[in-house]
Amino acid sequence: MTATVDAARCTSRSLMGRLRIALRLSAMLLWLVVCVPLYYAWRVMRLHNPWPRLFLGGIARIAGAQVNVEGAPYKQGAFLLANHVSWLDIPVIAGVTGSAFVAHSGLAEHGLLKWLCQMNDTVFVARHDRRSVHAQVEHVRAALTDTGALTVFPEGTTSDGTGLLPFKSSLLSALDPPPEGIAIQPVWLDYGADVTAMAWVGEEPGLDNFLKILARRRRQSVTVHFLPPLDASETANRKTMAVAARERIMTAIAHKR
């Protein structure tokens, strides 16, 4: 694993890698400067605000993501249960759906990240305290009202993308029971053959993963597979929900292979 991390650092520190990082970071900053005033203008006018979705979708494209979609998100409001591979998952999903996210409360300790997350109606939870998840139910419903979708990464961390870690049912406590009229929809993020190069796992620091992706020469294809929503029997409780969603994604992965 250490050799892999060292190789990634060498790639991001090559001359062309550094140039791509600089250009992409500059483009991201420029896009932020464009989007923030428009976000607040729409907010003051109390209009439906498209700018978090447009901003994050733009970040994904600037980072090199070439996003494809298979299936369709549930149109009347959905909790999306997705596998988690990289930081790129968030702008990819948000750009396609406009989804808000459930995030670890540790992100709220970082000023800039907290500000950006709040603009996208992020729901912060303390994963070590299951009671805090229940306390966020009203925030969850507010996020759904604003965005129409809320994404949870039930693995609780990133994986290497070649399979799935166990789904933690405690992260689904706010969905138990699901609000009326809200679908529970599994989502598989498929990075194709390059998934292990994109994955943020092991000893690799988050910043290194971020820079590694920005340094890449080739664009990265990412397919967002919207799988059929869980039926009533599969949402009887959070443990059933976690098992059913994981099995649906595993089945999709197996069929692709």
Side-chain angles (χ1 to χ4, degrees):
M1 181 59 70
T2 301
T4 301
V5 172
D6 290 342
R9 287 175 175 167
C10 289
T11 300
S12 64
R13 291 172 184 171
S14 69
L15 179 59
M16 291 306 298
R18 289 180 180 181
L19 178 59
R20 282 188 287 270
I21 289 171
L23 290 173
R24 284 173 169 155
L25 284 176
S26 298
M28 287 178 178
L29 180 59
L30 178 60
W31 186 228
L32 177 66
V33 170
V34 169
C35 290
V36 167
L38 294 169
Y39 165 82
Y40 283 109
W42 258 249
R43 185 173 177 180
V44 167
M45 293 185 289
R46 298 182 181 277
L47 299 173
H48 174 70
N49 207 322
W51 291 103
R53 177 178 186 169
L54 293 173
F55 170 71
L56 289 168
I59 291 297
R61 288 189 292 274
I62 292 169
Q66 182 177 329
V67 181
N68 308 293
V69 176
E70 290 194 9
Y74 189 76
K75 296 298 184 182
Q76 298 177 3
F79 287 111
L80 306 177
L81 308 186
N83 63 309
H84 200 9
V85 177
S86 164
W87 66 269
L88 196 57
D89 301 346
I90 292 174
V92 165
I93 292 175
V96 172
T97 67
S99 176
F101 294 84
V102 173
H104 191 284
S105 57
L107 285 178
E109 299 173 1
H110 303 279
L112 177 60
L113 282 177
K114 180 180 180 181
W115 174 57
L116 291 172
C117 289
Q118 286 177 331
M119 284 197 289
N120 197 45
D121 296 309
T122 297
V123 177
F124 295 105
V125 298
R127 291 176 182 167
H128 62 276
D129 183 359
R130 294 183 180 182
R131 292 173 300 175
S132 70
V133 181
H134 289 289
Q136 302 299 327
V137 169
E138 291 305 317
H139 291 187
V140 164
R141 291 176 177 172
L144 280 167
T145 298
D146 289 343
T147 66
L150 182 68
T151 299
V152 181
F153 297 112
E155 291 168 291
T157 186
T158 50
S159 73
D160 65 6
T162 60
L164 287 178
L165 300 174
F167 279 12
K168 298 179 179 179
S169 62
S170 61
L171 298 180
L172 308 182
S173 295
L175 317 185
D176 188 7
E180 186 176 350
I182 301 299
I184 309 297
Q185 185 169 29
V187 174
W188 173 35
L189 295 172
D190 176 14
Y191 285 86
D194 287 342
V195 64
T196 55
M198 301 295 293
W200 174 18
V201 292
E203 301 173 3
E204 183 180 26
L207 180 59
D208 282 0
N209 182 263
F210 177 72
L211 295 178
K212 176 181 72 176
I213 291 175
L214 295 192
R216 286 171 59 90
R217 177 176 59 85
R218 294 184 301 166
R219 296 189 66 80
Q220 173 61 46
S221 176
V222 186
T223 302
V224 185
H225 298 264
F226 291 98
L227 306 177
L230 303 185
D231 60 36
S233 66
E234 294 171 316
T235 60
N237 56 64
R238 57 185 173 86
K239 292 185 178 180
T240 302
M241 207 180 303
V243 171
R246 186 176 185 275
E247 287 181 351
R248 197 152 295 179
I249 297 174
M250 287 293 292
T251 298
I253 292 173
H255 285 170
K256 179 69 177 292
R257 291 175 181 169

